[in-house]
Amino acid sequence: MADMQDLARLLSSAHAPGPQMSHAAEQLFQCESHVGFGIVLLQLVQTESMDLGIRQAGSIYFKNYLKRRWGPDRGIPDNEKEVIKESLLPLTL
């Protein structure tokens, strides 16, 4: 499982033109299957000390991650869904 700094590096590489772009995007996609990925990604988005561009890229990736993986038998365990729901509410207020 990637930690927050690894995810920040991958998000930065996946959105910067260059030879690492597609490789970083593939790595991000592979990380999605790890338990806790959504929680770590959400923590990255919530971290105010993180670079704004990385937080924005993380927000977009998080939205697309939920779109792909939320739902019965689509990859996010129920207990992780509950943590995500509880973490999202304070962000919207």
Side-chain angles (χ1 to χ4, degrees):
M1 176 67 211
D3 64 13
M4 196 179 327
Q5 293 303 320
D6 290 337
L7 283 179
R9 181 185 50 78
L10 288 172
L11 285 165
S12 178
S13 296
H15 292 90
Q20 296 287 34
M21 188 172 151
S22 62
H23 180 66
E26 287 176 25
Q27 284 184 303
L28 275 169
F29 190 73
Q30 290 173 358
C31 288
E32 285 186 18
S33 63
H34 294 108
V35 174
F37 174 81
I39 295 168
V40 174
L41 186 57
L42 185 56
Q43 289 171 346
L44 179 145
V45 169
Q46 292 174 321
T47 303
E48 292 183 19
S49 62
M50 188 66 65
D51 176 75
L52 182 60
I54 292 173
R55 290 176 68 197
Q56 288 173 334
S59 296
I60 293 166
Y61 199 91
F62 183 73
K63 181 219 24 130
N64 293 332
Y65 163 74
L66 293 181
K67 195 172 185 179
R68 281 190 297 274
R69 303 244 179 201
W70 197 278
D73 301 321
R74 293 185 66 194
I76 302 176
D78 289 339
N79 60 336
E80 189 172 334
K81 287 179 184 177
E82 290 303 315
V83 172
I84 289 171
K85 287 178 191 177
E86 291 170 8
S87 300
L88 278 176
L89 185 59
L91 284 177
T92 61
L93 300 177

